[in-house]
Amino acid sequence: MRIKNTSPYSIKELRRLNMQQQGLLGKRSEVVDVISQLSYVQIDSINVAQRAHEHVLFNRVKHYSADDLASSIASKEVFEYWSHAAAYLPMQDYRYSLFRKQQYLKGESHWHKVKPADLKNVRAKIELEGPLKAIEFEHSSNKTNTGWWDWKPAKKALEQLFMQGEIMAVRRDKFQKVYDLTERVLPSDIDTSVPTEQAFARYLIDRCITAHGFATAKQIAYLRKGCQKSVRNELLDMCESGELSSFELGKETYYFNESITPPTTIPDKVYLLNPFDNIVIQRDRLLQCFDFNYQIEVYVPQAKRKYGYYSLPILWRDRFVGRVDVKADRKQKVLLLQHLSIEDESLASLKSNDSDVFIHSLRESIEAYREFNQCEVWELVSVNNQALYERLCNTLDR
């Protein structure tokens, strides 16, 4: 295999290629088309603002509303399972979920050891009564519930059956999964043949390259247990056959498809991205490709937070220029911009010729995000730069 010493594209072109493949340069009409392009959309429960999966789709689907995702699930175009984490996946990729499900069917546990009798009883109840939530199962334990990890036996059994593929989530009700038997949910024309290890590795490679434009073996196998070796082997074969090419960037080998090329221009647009957005979720890649060091501070003690509990990365054109900590006060219908940190020095000082364009685009993105969060107004609480704060208050404060 011949590895090029340097990338065939500049770092700016690589960034634009990534943005293009991530669906940020032009919105689509259908949820399933976006999820198919991205390979998955991660589900997260944090709700200080609209949840992660909704936010990711909002940035990529025209006139998006939560009803659009629910409709895609109901019409069986999209299903819920596990990618590197809980996610929505395109139904056309269902057979590739079977690779992981087979591991659970052979005895692997998801989070908890579950008694066979509990699996049998829970499955029988769903078979008899139809779609059910965890709360609809009687708690058979006498132990005091001390937290999320003290799941009752039925909840553990439901998750194990879900991971094994015996049941599926037909919808979510107030964010709680509603389960039914897979044979009653799965479309009859879906391929249910279990992929080989080689076929699964190729699937991961194809999906990742399509979604990002270029990727390392580590990024392709991100949090996929036991897949690293097969992914590396398949990458070598695909390069030997000419299906893929590779280049060195820093100390990493990246793989790409030469037929997927970067755009020559991108819009003057600000993107307020979710902390779990596909383009930012792999932090090492984000740092190497975009020179942006990002950490979500939800899990950081309050006293040690630098930017705020739920800071959204701010992408302008093809570079990350800061982050904004947000919270939707739903009772008052106010979107709080609790702390806006602009880290690009020329933008923060307002000395750049682009500063007016940036501020106009920022205003448009804030307004759109406010409406998405069903808030009537937004409030700028603080900014990391006094000059920028005054400018924003004069031109943006609502």
Side-chain angles (χ1 to χ4, degrees):
M1 178 183 66
R2 183 172 63 88
I3 299 178
K4 298 179 180 179
N5 292 328
T6 58
S7 168
Y9 304 120
S10 67
I11 193 66
K12 181 180 285 291
E13 288 174 323
L14 286 174
R15 291 173 179 177
R16 294 181 175 189
L17 174 61
N18 196 186
M19 292 174 64
Q20 170 185 268
Q21 297 308 113
Q22 279 288 293
L24 291 174
L25 301 187
K27 290 190 174 186
R28 300 196 179 192
S29 300
E30 302 296 333
V31 166
V32 65
D33 292 338
V34 170
I35 296 179
S36 295
Q37 177 66 29
L38 297 178
S39 176
Y40 71 90
V41 170
Q42 184 172 338
I43 301 169
D44 192 77
S45 62
I46 298 170
N47 67 342
V48 294
Q50 287 279 23
R51 287 191 169 96
H53 45 284
E54 306 284 3
H55 190 181
V56 170
L57 293 171
F58 162 74
N59 273 324
R60 295 166 170 86
V61 178
K62 294 177 183 177
H63 314 299
Y64 177 76
S65 76
D67 291 340
D68 297 331
L69 176 58
S71 176
S72 295
I73 296 168
S75 62
K76 301 181 181 181
E77 296 175 312
V78 171
F79 75 105
E80 181 176 339
Y81 191 60
W82 203 264
S83 57
H84 73 276
Y88 289 113
L89 303 154
M91 186 65 80
Q92 67 190 42
D93 288 356
Y94 176 82
R95 72 176 291 247
Y96 294 101
S97 72
L98 296 173
F99 186 82
R100 187 182 186 107
K101 289 169 181 174
Q102 287 296 304
Q103 295 172 332
Y104 289 109
L105 284 168
K106 291 176 181 178
E108 184 176 324
S109 296
H110 184 40
W111 283 317
H112 307 277
K113 291 290 184 182
V114 183
K115 296 178 181 179
D118 290 335
L119 294 174
K120 181 179 179 180
N121 292 337
V122 166
R123 194 185 194 285
K125 184 176 175 69
I126 294 175
E127 184 174 9
L128 179 64
E129 299 181 21
L132 295 170
K133 295 180 289 187
I135 197 172
E136 295 173 288
F137 287 80
E138 183 180 356
H139 191 174
S140 59
S141 172
N142 292 323
K143 293 181 179 179
T144 300
N145 191 320
T146 59
W148 187 79
W149 288 102
D150 293 320
W151 282 358
K152 58 188 179 182
K155 175 64 175 174
K156 297 176 184 179
L158 283 167
E159 282 300 306
Q160 186 66 24
L161 288 168
F162 175 75
M163 294 306 294
Q164 290 176 184
E166 294 186 55
I167 60 176
M168 295 179 69
V170 294
R171 63 182 182 277
R172 282 190 178 240
D173 183 2
K174 296 180 180 178
F175 205 65
Q176 300 301 307
K177 288 200 286 285
V178 180
Y179 301 95
D180 200 359
L181 298 183
T182 294
E183 57 259 36
R184 296 200 295 229
V185 179
L186 198 63
S188 59
D189 60 344
I190 290 296
D191 185 354
T192 57
S193 59
V194 180
T196 63
E197 184 175 352
Q198 179 185 12
F200 184 65
R202 179 175 281 263
Y203 160 75
L204 293 179
I205 293 167
D206 287 342
R207 280 304 196 183
C208 192
I209 297 297
T210 297
H212 292 283
F214 57 98
T216 67
K218 182 180 178 181
Q219 291 163 6
I220 292 166
Y222 179 61
L223 296 182
R224 303 277 191 166
K225 185 178 179 181
C227 293
Q228 289 80 0
K229 183 177 179 180
S230 57
V231 164
R232 291 183 185 278
N233 290 339
E234 193 64 19
L235 281 169
L236 291 175
D237 289 344
M238 293 176 78
C239 284
E240 288 290 348
S241 68
E243 294 175 79
L244 294 179
S245 301
S246 60
F247 62 87
E248 296 290 331
L249 181 62
K251 297 181 180 180
E252 301 287 348
T253 299
Y254 279 86
Y255 300 87
F256 72 108
N257 185 328
E258 293 187 8
S259 68
I260 304 175
T261 57
T264 55
T265 60
I266 58 171
D268 289 321
K269 184 174 180 179
V270 166
Y271 304 85
L272 304 181
L273 298 175
N274 193 271
F276 299 95
D277 195 284
N278 298 54
I279 202 171
V280 304
I281 195 62
Q282 294 197 45
R283 312 303 192 207
D284 291 344
R285 175 190 174 94
L286 186 65
L287 181 60
Q288 183 171 37
C289 297
F290 285 91
D291 194 28
F292 187 60
N293 189 7
Y294 177 73
Q295 177 188 17
I296 185 172
E297 296 184 334
V298 166
Y299 314 107
V300 176
Q302 183 173 0
K304 295 183 178 181
R305 290 176 193 149
K306 183 177 180 182
Y307 298 103
Y309 179 83
Y310 204 62
S311 291
L312 311 182
I314 300 173
L315 176 63
W316 184 54
R317 292 177 177 166
D318 53 17
R319 69 184 194 267
F320 286 88
V321 297
R323 58 204 94 192
V324 57
D325 182 31
V326 297
K327 181 179 180 179
D329 183 338
R330 296 178 174 89
K331 186 176 181 180
Q332 301 297 324
K333 294 190 175 183
V334 177
L335 174 67
L336 298 172
L337 308 181
Q338 300 189 115
H339 183 64
L340 173 63
S341 176
I342 301 300
E343 297 149 47
D344 183 290
E345 292 184 3
S346 63
L347 293 177
S349 65
L350 305 179
K351 293 180 180 178
S352 168
N353 293 331
D354 289 328
S355 62
D356 287 341
V357 179
F358 168 70
I359 286 180
H360 175 74
S361 182
L362 178 61
R363 179 183 62 192
E364 289 185 337
S365 295
I366 291 171
E367 285 290 349
Y369 188 67
R370 170 197 60 76
E371 185 176 357
F372 170 58
N373 278 275
Q374 300 176 347
C375 291
E376 296 178 352
V377 296
W378 56 268
E379 179 183 343
L380 178 62
V381 180
S382 69
V383 169
N384 67 326
N385 178 282
Q386 184 61 33
L388 180 61
Y389 180 84
E390 292 174 0
R391 175 71 176 276
L392 289 170
C393 284
N394 290 334
T395 61
L396 300 184
D397 193 18
R398 310 295 292 183

